[in-house]
Each structure stands twice: as C-alpha cells, then as structure tokens.
Amino acid sequence: MPKVTVDGQEIEVPAGATVLQACELAGKEIPRFCYHERLSIAGNCRMCLVEVSPGPPKPQASCALPAGEGQVIRTDSEMVKKAREGVMEFLLINHPLDCPICDQGGECDLQDQAVAYGRGGSRYHEHKRAVTEKNMGPLIKTTMTRCIHCTRCVRFSEEVAGVDEIGALYRGESMQITTYLEQAAKHEMSANVIDLCPVGALTSAPYAFEARPWELKKTLSIDVSDAIGANIRIDSRGREVLRALPRVNDDVNEEWISDKARFQVDGLTRRRLDKVFVRKNGKLAESSWEEAFKKIAAAKPGNSIAAVAGDMVDCETMFAAKKLLGALGSTLLEGRQTGLTYDVSNLAAVNFNTTLAGIETADAILVVGSHVRWEAPLLNTRLRKAAKAGAKIFLIGPEWETTYPATFLGSDVGLLHKLPKEAADALKGAERPAIVVGGAALGKGALHPALALAEKYKLVKDGWNGFNSLHFSAARMGGLMLGFAQAGGMADLIAAKPKVALFLGADEADFSQFGDSLKVYIGHHGDKGAHAADIILPGAAYTEKDGTFVNTEGRVQYAEKAVFAPGDAREDWTILRALADALGVDVGFDTFDQLQAAMIAEVPALGEEGLADYGALPAADKGAKAEGEIAYPIKDFYLTNPIARASTVMQQCSAELLGQGELAEAAE
C-alpha cells in the first residue's frame, strides 16, 4: 500500500486509490461536482484541484489522479485556494441568480461550495447564456440554464440504470444536456438523477415549490413498494408527507430508490379511509367503532375466522392478527392474497440467499419467472453490475427489455427439467452460479425443480449460496416467518368458509370467493378491498406507524412513524386489540412495546436488525413437476398497490410513460 503525505500527515492508502480518496482518508474535505463514488470518473468540473509533488507546478484534478508512493499533497496552499476560486468563478459565469426561487436552495452543492471556496464576488458583466428547458417526463423538472455540465445524470443513466436516455449535444459554450429526441426518461430509476444533480438543473417536478429543507421533519423509514426494503427518509411537514428520499445502505439499495418508492407518497393524502363504514342495505354508510365491533361480535365467529395480510403490512400488525385468531382457536392465516401456492416448510428455500450485494459477484445467473425491472428495479441494477463484470445471464419467461446482455430461453417453466445446453454449460462451468426464482415461477411449481438444479450444479458451496427466491411484496418474508401461510394457499381459506374474514390491507385478493363471509377490511385507502368490504375499519399507512419489515433476502429492518393517521384512522394493531375486547378474548398485550416483545419472544429473529438465519436449503422433491407458460403478475409498474393507485403522479407516469391512457377509479 503506497504511503502519501497530505498536508503534513503521512497515511497509507489502498493500491489504486485516487488522490481525492487519499485526501478523504486523511480527513480533508475536497470540493467536487462531477465526481461521485458510484459513477465513473469524468474529471470535467475541475473543482477538486490540489497541489501534488512530484508533479507539474500547477494544481491538478485529484479525482482522476492516482495516488502514488511518496506523493506530497497540499489541499490548503495559496495556489490551491486561488485555483478553486477561479474554477468557481467560471462555473458561476452563466449560472442564473435563481437561489430564492430554486428548489435546490438549502441543499445545493453549488451554494455550499460557492460560500466555502468561492471569491465572494463576480467580475463577469456580460450577458449570461440561456438554455431552453427539456422534456424529461412527469417526474423531473428541468431548468437547464443552471446546468454546470458535470454529466452525473448522463453517467448514471448509462452505467447504473443501463438506459442510454440522457446525453450531451453540441460543444464548448453551446453544450446542452438533454434526453435524446426530447423524450421523457422512461426507466424505473430515472428520478435518482435529481439527487445526483449538484445544482438546481434537475429537480423533483411533483415537489416543486412545496417546501424548504429546514421546514421538514425527517424520519427514517423503509420502502414498501416492493420486497427489496430500500432504506428511505420520509420528509414531512405537519401531518403531510411531502417527499421520500433514499438513505445510503450498501447492502440493500446503495443510495438509489425506484421512481415508485420516491413518488407514490402523494397518494398518502388521497382516497384515504378516515372514518368507519358499515354496509347497510347493500351500501356502505358512515358508522362508529362501537357499531362496527358489535356487528363483528354478532357474527359469533368462534374459530371460523380468517386473516389475509396485504403486501405492505408490517410484522406487528400480522402478529396482532395471529394472536387474535389464536385466542379464538383459528389458524386460518394467509399472506399470498393473489392465490400463489408454494412449499414454505423451509424458509431457506424461499429466501434470496445470495443477498442483494452478493448477486453482483455471480458469474452465471438463471432468472426464472421474474420481470426483474418491474418487480425489483434495485435488484436489476445489481444484475447489470454482474453482467458488466462478465456474468452470463439467462431468463425463462416472456421477453422484456433488459438493461444488460441476456438470453431468453423460452416462456415455459418446464424448461427447468431440461435446460438448454448453453445455460446448462454456463451454470456447470461457473465458480459462483446462481438461480433467481420469481413469484410467477413459484406459482407454477418451479420451487422444487429449481432446488434440483441447485443440487445438480452445486449452487451451494463454501461461502456461497446461489439459490434465490424473489418476492414482490414487502410483507412476504415477515409473514412467512410469522406463519401467514396455508399448505394450499388462499384455496384453504376459501374452502374453510369462515364466518368472518379480516383483510389487512389486502386489495389484490378475489373477494367474490368469500361470498358468505363477513368481510372486514382494515386498511388505509378506498381501493378494491374497501369497495368489497362489509365493514371498513380505517388503518394507518406505513408512514403513520412504527413497524418491522423483512425484505426478500431475510433482512429485518425497522421503520419509524413520520406522521399521524388522518381522521378516525388508527394504527392497525390498536384496531385488532380493540376487536379482541369486542370478541371477549385476551391477546396478551396492551401496548406496542408489549406487542413487539411478545412477537420477538415467539420469533427471536425479528428482534435483531440484519439478516435472519433460515438454515440450510432443503432437499429437492425429485417428483415435483413444473409446467405451463409463465405470466408475470405485474401489468403496470406504477400502479401495483393502493397508495400508488391513489397517487396522481403514478397515474400520470402510467398514462405518459407506459401509454396506459386514462386510469379508472380504484374500484373499477
């Protein structure tokens, strides 16, 4: 490891490190606009200048200069100070004085660095250059006159998202950043360029002129729009959530989130259930908690009661429902509301065992029955990294537009029984082979045939487990850990003909099959579940309660409460606790802390943040057959859950970017 001296301090740096990284290891702050840890080096803003000897007697760009043995680096010399002032002066030559009306104000790198490293005044008195605005779709607001040509957005689109949608036109003073052919940016990660932009050129269109950063309360939370469990920060003012931003977690989402995770939050204030409703004479009418509970108690469910968990429910809510049903003598619990059935006797078989970060190091990957770009956009960026590192990727299922070189083998899940030679040879010759089984394949009986392939191609070896199941519901793994699964799936619940069916935010279920049951919907949006219900008990959305979530790789994570639920809505566990009193049973907890303690006592893994240990993979059932054409469950990336369907931004994205046209109301 080379030794360098930074401002008189000698340090060792890793081989291959740049001078900028060496300075940061020494605790020195180096200003930058174009450099970003997760993007390739461009070296075009020149703000990170330092003095290096041996070397030419002039400042050098530290982001593109390798650190070498014996270098003496100065970050605070008069030459460096003057050079940075000069660079900043040039950057501001054409930059408009928009700060009072710019949405980046208060969290703008250009503002901060102009104060810290600039001259404090301009000597430029000519006309400033202006650039026309660009159309980047309904999510990204452009003010391209502010652009300083750092090219972060260009590099993100090409390198991380894998979609060549943004680039530069013209040269020199006439250079402009734009989407090709002035079309909207259409990929599922497009809005991350808003966070990357160091100036106010690319800002959030839905958030425009809503608030300043110092007005907002910031709460740590978890995204529930898919099963990846991206770490997010909820920014709220009063009782309203104004935006969601990514938090850095290299193991889960790095520092990206999908457009749906970021922009569905405006749906949290629309179509909300904030009053109790009871169906009278075929129509839902406003009611009271007492009347609703009395009607449920009058049904005298006894042990003929079932609970169906939705896709975005926290573990505490599911545990409270389990305790309520257990006190009544029922075990009719199910979380796979759309009717999926697969073997859940061993959770290691339905877990993403490689881990999200680990899949990047795989060298041969077989994806079965998953439209990864829509089901887990953040996993898709990991697969792209693996492909860039040389991994061969094969897919079984209907074709979709990948962002990396991949081979589609066909759409029949039966191909698992006889893999085409190309894929078989790749898995056989790989040091780190991996299989990813999606929900569509699990529903077609692919689990055990895929486990048989895992045994055949030695997917499990020292320090490597290449067998993965990919879920698309944030509640799935937590629900499976809590026992929310029947051997025959939803069919078992329907066959039991329960007197009362509790739907915990479950909007995708087939409610017509519960014809004779008293349907009680505990949820937060007037979506499909609420329209089918006999009784509606208004619950809290994920931003309105503390909760535990487990992502598709078995990672236990905690989300904090950001705002209060509207109107008469209550946190779901309190509704179930009150319902227990109405039904005359004891569930063993009165406070959230008691509930959480009881849950952790029953499932200790839920008490420890991090990856849960599910043990070894089970042996494959060699007699199991997988057959049939795969059909992906997600038809519209932007409208997969009740919050997204209530969001005007997501509806606009669906109409403009996917060409789905006008959207019907939630129940239609």
Side-chain angles (χ1 to χ4, degrees), residues 341-343 368 412-419 437 440-453 620-630:
T341 54
Y342 44 85
D343 180 9
V368 189
D412 190 332
V413 72
L415 285 165
L416 286 173
H417 296 296
K418 193 171 185 207
L419 273 186
V437 185
L442 289 172
K444 292 283 186 186
L447 184 61
H448 282 283
L451 283 168
L453 287 182
D621 175 0
K622 297 293 196 295
K625 287 282 178 207
E627 55 189 8
E629 293 286 312
I630 289 169

Coordinates of all heavy atoms in Angstrom, one line a residue, residues 341-343 368 412-419 437 440-453 620-630:
T341 N -49.4 -20.5 -4.5 CA -49.1 -21.6 -3.5 C -47.7 -22.1 -3.8 O -47.3 -22.3 -5.0 CB -50.1 -22.7 -3.6 OG1 -50.2 -23.2 -4.9 CG2 -51.5 -22.3 -3.2
Y342 N -46.9 -22.3 -2.8 CA -45.6 -23.0 -2.9 C -45.2 -23.5 -1.5 O -45.8 -23.0 -0.5 CB -44.6 -22.1 -3.5 CG -44.5 -20.7 -3.0 CD1 -43.8 -20.3 -1.8 CD2 -45.2 -19.6 -3.6 CE1 -43.8 -19.0 -1.3 CE2 -45.2 -18.3 -3.2 CZ -44.5 -18.0 -2.0 OH -44.4 -16.8 -1.5
D343 N -44.3 -24.4 -1.5 CA -43.9 -25.0 -0.2 C -43.1 -24.0 0.7 O -42.1 -23.4 0.2 CB -42.9 -26.2 -0.6 CG -42.4 -26.9 0.6 OD1 -42.9 -26.6 1.7 OD2 -41.5 -27.8 0.5
V368 N -35.8 -17.2 -13.4 CA -36.9 -17.9 -13.8 C -38.2 -17.2 -13.3 O -38.4 -17.0 -12.1 CB -36.9 -19.3 -13.1 CG1 -38.0 -20.2 -13.8 CG2 -35.6 -20.0 -13.3
D412 N -41.8 -21.3 -21.1 CA -42.4 -22.4 -20.4 C -41.5 -22.8 -19.2 O -40.3 -23.1 -19.4 CB -42.5 -23.6 -21.4 CG -43.3 -24.8 -20.9 OD1 -43.3 -24.9 -19.6 OD2 -43.9 -25.5 -21.6
V413 N -42.2 -22.8 -18.1 CA -41.4 -23.2 -16.9 C -40.9 -24.6 -16.9 O -39.9 -24.9 -16.2 CB -42.3 -22.9 -15.6 CG1 -43.4 -24.0 -15.5 CG2 -41.4 -22.8 -14.3
G414 N -41.4 -25.4 -17.7 CA -41.0 -26.8 -17.9 C -39.5 -26.9 -18.4 O -38.9 -28.0 -18.3
L415 N -39.0 -25.8 -18.9 CA -37.5 -25.8 -19.3 C -36.6 -26.1 -18.1 O -35.5 -26.5 -18.4 CB -37.2 -24.4 -19.9 CG -37.7 -24.1 -21.3 CD1 -37.6 -22.6 -21.6 CD2 -37.0 -24.9 -22.3
L416 N -37.1 -25.9 -16.9 CA -36.2 -26.3 -15.7 C -35.9 -27.7 -15.7 O -34.8 -28.1 -15.2 CB -37.0 -25.9 -14.4 CG -37.1 -24.4 -14.1 CD1 -38.0 -24.2 -12.9 CD2 -35.7 -23.8 -13.8
H417 N -36.7 -28.6 -16.3 CA -36.4 -30.0 -16.3 C -35.4 -30.4 -17.3 O -34.8 -31.5 -17.2 CB -37.7 -30.8 -16.5 CG -38.7 -30.6 -15.4 ND1 -38.5 -31.0 -14.1 CD2 -40.0 -30.0 -15.4 CE1 -39.5 -30.7 -13.4 NE2 -40.4 -30.1 -14.1
K418 N -35.3 -29.6 -18.4 CA -34.2 -29.8 -19.4 C -33.7 -28.5 -19.9 O -34.2 -28.0 -20.9 CB -34.8 -30.7 -20.5 CG -33.7 -31.2 -21.4 CD -34.1 -32.3 -22.4 CE -32.9 -32.8 -23.1 NZ -33.2 -33.3 -24.4
L419 N -32.7 -28.0 -19.2 CA -32.2 -26.7 -19.5 C -31.5 -26.8 -20.9 O -30.8 -27.7 -21.2 CB -31.1 -26.3 -18.5 CG -31.6 -25.5 -17.3 CD1 -30.3 -25.0 -16.5 CD2 -32.4 -24.3 -17.6
V437 N -35.6 -17.4 -8.6 CA -36.9 -17.9 -8.9 C -38.0 -16.8 -8.5 O -38.1 -16.5 -7.4 CB -37.3 -19.2 -8.2 CG1 -38.6 -19.7 -8.6 CG2 -36.2 -20.2 -8.4
A440 N -43.9 -15.5 -10.3 CA -44.7 -16.2 -11.3 C -44.3 -17.6 -11.5 O -45.1 -18.5 -11.8 CB -44.4 -15.4 -12.6
A441 N -43.0 -17.9 -11.3 CA -42.5 -19.3 -11.4 C -42.9 -20.1 -10.2 O -43.2 -21.3 -10.3 CB -41.0 -19.3 -11.6
L442 N -42.8 -19.5 -9.0 CA -43.2 -20.2 -7.8 C -44.7 -20.7 -7.9 O -45.0 -21.8 -7.5 CB -43.1 -19.3 -6.6 CG -41.6 -19.0 -6.1 CD1 -41.6 -17.9 -5.0 CD2 -40.9 -20.2 -5.6
G443 N -45.5 -19.9 -8.5 CA -46.9 -20.2 -8.7 C -47.1 -21.4 -9.7 O -48.2 -22.0 -9.7
K444 N -46.1 -21.6 -10.5 CA -46.2 -22.7 -11.5 C -45.5 -24.0 -11.0 O -45.2 -24.8 -11.8 CB -45.6 -22.3 -12.8 CG -46.4 -21.2 -13.5 CD -47.7 -21.7 -14.2 CE -48.4 -20.7 -15.0 NZ -49.7 -21.2 -15.5
G445 N -45.1 -24.0 -9.7 CA -44.5 -25.2 -9.2 C -43.0 -25.3 -9.5 O -42.4 -26.4 -9.5
A446 N -42.3 -24.2 -9.6 CA -40.9 -24.2 -10.0 C -39.9 -24.4 -8.9 O -38.8 -24.6 -9.1 CB -40.5 -22.9 -10.7
L447 N -40.5 -24.3 -7.6 CA -39.5 -24.3 -6.5 C -38.7 -25.6 -6.4 O -37.4 -25.5 -6.4 CB -40.3 -24.1 -5.2 CG -39.5 -24.0 -3.9 CD1 -38.5 -22.8 -4.0 CD2 -40.3 -24.0 -2.6
H448 N -39.3 -26.8 -6.4 CA -38.5 -28.0 -6.2 C -37.7 -28.3 -7.5 O -36.5 -28.8 -7.3 CB -39.4 -29.1 -5.8 CG -39.7 -29.1 -4.3 ND1 -38.8 -29.5 -3.3 CD2 -40.8 -28.6 -3.7 CE1 -39.3 -29.3 -2.2 NE2 -40.6 -28.7 -2.3
P449 N -38.2 -28.2 -8.7 CA -37.3 -28.3 -9.9 C -36.1 -27.4 -9.8 O -35.0 -27.8 -10.2 CB -38.2 -28.0 -11.1 CG -39.6 -28.4 -10.6 CD -39.6 -28.0 -9.1
A450 N -36.3 -26.2 -9.3 CA -35.1 -25.3 -9.2 C -34.2 -25.7 -8.1 O -32.9 -25.6 -8.3 CB -35.6 -23.8 -8.9
L451 N -34.7 -26.3 -7.0 CA -33.8 -26.8 -6.0 C -33.1 -28.0 -6.5 O -31.9 -28.2 -6.2 CB -34.7 -27.3 -4.8 CG -35.2 -26.2 -3.8 CD1 -36.2 -26.7 -2.9 CD2 -34.0 -25.6 -3.1
A452 N -33.7 -28.8 -7.4 CA -33.0 -29.9 -8.0 C -31.8 -29.4 -8.9 O -30.7 -30.0 -8.9 CB -33.9 -30.7 -8.9
L453 N -32.0 -28.3 -9.6 CA -30.9 -27.7 -10.4 C -29.8 -27.2 -9.4 O -28.6 -27.3 -9.7 CB -31.4 -26.5 -11.2 CG -32.3 -26.8 -12.4 CD1 -32.6 -25.6 -13.1 CD2 -31.5 -27.8 -13.4
A620 N -34.4 -31.3 -2.6 CA -35.4 -31.2 -3.6 C -36.3 -32.4 -3.7 O -35.9 -33.5 -3.5 CB -34.8 -30.9 -5.0
D621 N -37.6 -32.2 -3.9 CA -38.6 -33.3 -4.2 C -38.4 -33.6 -5.7 O -38.9 -32.9 -6.5 CB -40.0 -32.8 -3.8 CG -41.0 -33.8 -4.2 OD1 -40.7 -34.9 -4.7 OD2 -42.2 -33.5 -4.0
K622 N -37.8 -34.7 -5.9 CA -37.4 -35.1 -7.3 C -38.7 -35.4 -8.2 O -38.7 -35.3 -9.4 CB -36.5 -36.3 -7.4 CG -35.1 -36.0 -6.7 CD -34.3 -35.0 -7.5 CE -32.8 -35.1 -7.1 NZ -32.5 -34.7 -5.8
G623 N -39.8 -35.7 -7.5 CA -41.0 -36.0 -8.2 C -41.8 -34.7 -8.6 O -42.8 -34.8 -9.4
A624 N -41.5 -33.6 -8.1 CA -42.2 -32.4 -8.4 C -42.1 -31.9 -9.8 O -41.0 -32.0 -10.4 CB -41.8 -31.2 -7.5
K625 N -43.2 -31.6 -10.5 CA -43.2 -31.2 -11.9 C -43.6 -29.7 -12.0 O -44.5 -29.2 -11.3 CB -44.1 -32.0 -12.7 CG -43.7 -33.4 -12.9 CD -42.6 -33.5 -14.0 CE -42.1 -34.9 -14.2 NZ -40.7 -34.9 -14.7
A626 N -42.9 -29.0 -12.8 CA -43.2 -27.6 -13.2 C -43.7 -27.6 -14.6 O -43.0 -28.1 -15.5 CB -42.0 -26.7 -13.0
E627 N -44.8 -26.9 -14.9 CA -45.3 -26.9 -16.3 C -46.1 -25.7 -16.5 O -46.8 -25.2 -15.5 CB -46.0 -28.2 -16.7 CG -47.2 -28.5 -15.8 CD -47.7 -29.9 -16.1 OE1 -47.1 -30.6 -16.9 OE2 -48.8 -30.2 -15.5
G628 N -46.2 -25.2 -17.7 CA -47.1 -24.1 -18.1 C -46.3 -22.9 -18.5 O -45.2 -22.7 -18.1
E629 N -47.0 -22.0 -19.2 CA -46.4 -20.7 -19.7 C -46.4 -19.8 -18.5 O -47.4 -19.6 -17.8 CB -47.3 -20.2 -20.8 CG -47.2 -21.0 -22.1 CD -45.9 -20.8 -22.8 OE1 -45.4 -19.6 -23.0 OE2 -45.3 -21.8 -23.2
I630 N -45.3 -19.1 -18.3 CA -45.2 -18.1 -17.3 C -45.9 -16.8 -17.7 O -45.8 -16.3 -18.8 CB -43.7 -17.8 -17.0 CG1 -43.1 -19.0 -16.3 CG2 -43.5 -16.5 -16.1 CD1 -41.6 -19.0 -16.1

